[in-house]
Amino acid sequence: MPSAPIPLTLANLLLGPGFRARRTPDRAFDRLLAAAGPADGDERFTDGFRHLLRCWAGAERLTPVGWLSARGHVGRHLANRARIRRLLAEHPGIEREPVERPVFVVGLPRTATTLTHGILSLSADHRCPQLRELLTPGLDDGPGEREEAITTARRLVGGINLFAPGFRHIHNLRPEGPEECTFALPHTVMPLSQAVIPEYLPWHETHDFGADYRYLKQIYQVLQYGRPRRRWVLKSPLHLENLDALRTVFPDATIVWTHRDPATAVASFCSLVEHGMAVNTRPLDLDWIGAIWLRLLARSAARGLASRAGIPRESLVDVPYSWLGADPAAGAPKLYAAVGARWTDADAARLPAVAARPRGTRVHSYDLARYGLSRADVDTAFADYNALRAEVDRA
C-alpha cells in the first residue's frame, strides 16, 4: 500500500487528541444533534444516524481523519434535515411543488452513469442538482447563502484532492457541477467505502427506504421553490437497489439504466473505493474491499432486476455502454429521444466539453486481481444480470 500523502499524515497527527471521542459515540452524536438544530418528533431519522455513528466509531483501523469524516457525514445530514424541516414549516407551498416526470440515471457504478447524467444536463429544459446544493440544500434567498454553500463544497473537494490526489482521476468533483443524489440520500452503503463497518449492513438491509425517498423529494422541492420549473435529471448508482421505493415516491419517473460488463465495473469501483478509503482507514485490506463490494454490487443488481418487471416499458430506457462510451456524438441524440427530450444544435456544441476527460486528469487503470477477485467470481455473482445485458446489447 502506498505511503500516506504528507498532508494526510500531518492531519492525523493534529487530530490525534480528538480521536479519543470515538470511545463515547453517543456523546459525540448528542453534540452533533445539538449543533444541527431542533429534531423533536424526528427520532426515527436521528436514531438511524446515531446507530451509524456507533458502528463507525468501532471501525477497524479507523484513522483520526476517518473519525472526523464520520462526524462530518453524520453532522451534515442532521443539519440538512433540520434546515429542510424548518423551511417546510416556514413555506408550506414547498410541498406543493410538483416534481414531474423526473429522469433518474441508475446502473452499477462505473457504467457511464456520470457521463449519461452530464449529457442530459446539457439541455436548457433540464435541471440537475449541483454538488453545493446537495451538500447544503436551501432556498438561496439569504445574504451569502449561495456563497456559503459553494465554500462548503470547495472545502470538501479540496480536502479530497489534498488527502487522496488520485481520486479526481476516477471521479472528478466540481462544487458547481452536476452531482448525484448519493450526497442527499440519508442512508446508503457508501459509509462502507470509507470504513470497515460490517455491523451497519444488517440495519441497512432491513431499512425502509420509503422515508428516505420522501425526504429526497422534499429536498428537490426546496431547490425548485421560487425558481423556474424544469425537468429534474437525477442520478445515483445506489438507486438501483431501491427502485421500488423510488417509484413509489416518483411514480412518473423515467428510469435510465446504464449497462457495462460487471467485471470491468467492479474492478473500477474497487479502485475508486481504495483511493477514497485510504483517507480514513489505514492500512487497507484490499481483499475485504473486493469481497464486500462484490457482494453489495451483486445485491444491487439483483434487487434492480427484481424491480424491473414492475416498471412500465415506456418508463425504462436501457443504455448500453457502447451508446456513449464509444461514440457520444452518435449516442447522445438517441438518449434524448429515448427520454422524450429535444436534442438541439446548442446541446451538440457543448457535448465535447462534457464527454472529454476533465483537464489535468489521467486514464484510470484497475485490476480485479488486486482485490482478490477473478472474472469467474464476478460472472458467477452477476449471472442473471449478464443475461439481461446480453439482451440489451442485442436490441
Side-chain angles (χ1 to χ4, degrees), residues 197-230:
I197 46 175
E199 298 81 7
Y200 181 57
L201 271 178
W203 182 93
H204 187 273
E205 288 173 342
T206 59
H207 180 60
D208 176 9
F209 283 90
D212 289 48
Y213 280 89
R214 289 190 293 273
Y215 173 55
L216 185 67
K217 181 178 179 180
Q218 290 174 336
I219 288 176
Y220 293 128
Q221 287 173 314
V222 165
L223 294 177
Q224 180 175 286
Y225 186 66
R227 306 173 202 180
R229 291 175 183 169
R230 292 179 286 162

Side-chain angles (χ1 to χ4, degrees), residues 12 16 55 59 74 82 85 87 90 101 107 144 148 150 168 208 248 265 284 296 300 303 315 334 358 362 371 380-381:
N12 278 320
C55 293
V74 170
R85 295 180 77 209
L87 290 172
E90 293 174 353
R101 300 173 52 250
E148 183 178 346
I150 293 172
R168 68 189 182 95
D208 176 9
T248 297
L284 290 180
L296 291 175
S300 178
R303 289 185 175 181
S315 299
K334 291 194 293 185
R362 59 175 181 265
Y371 307 100
T380 299

